[in-house]
Amino acid sequence: TMKHLVKAAMAGFDEKNDVLVTVEPIASGIEVELKSKVERAYGKHIRAFIEATVKEAGFDGVKVTAIDKAAWDYTIKARVLGALERGSEA
């Protein structure tokens, strides 16, 4: 069964080499809104990576807003999973 968020939640920091991730429930699907210093070079990759992370975690109906300060993939993944976990707890 698909997991769903029960509330909006955040993880991470708006600092160099980190990413501030906010997740909020939406009707269905996965939406990704990205603000990044490295948008032109890596924007497409980061969006796809965030979407894949949400799907892999088994969630649907999620809007992810990410403010990226050149975070590595493993940091992005950890922040997305952390926010999903917080947002799925009643």
Side-chain angles (χ1 to χ4, degrees), residues 12-56:
F13 299 92
D14 187 10
E15 287 172 14
K16 191 172 169 11
N17 300 123
D18 204 342
V19 58
L20 179 62
V21 172
T22 306
V23 295
E24 47 197 319
I26 56 172
S28 68
I30 299 164
E31 283 176 32
V32 178
E33 194 176 299
L34 175 68
K35 292 180 183 117
S36 177
K37 294 166 99 168
V38 294
E39 172 83 45
R40 281 170 65 186
Y42 302 109
K44 197 178 260 186
H45 165 77
I46 296 168
R47 279 193 183 81
F49 185 74
I50 289 172
E51 192 172 323
T53 301
V54 173
K55 282 182 180 159
E56 212 175 88

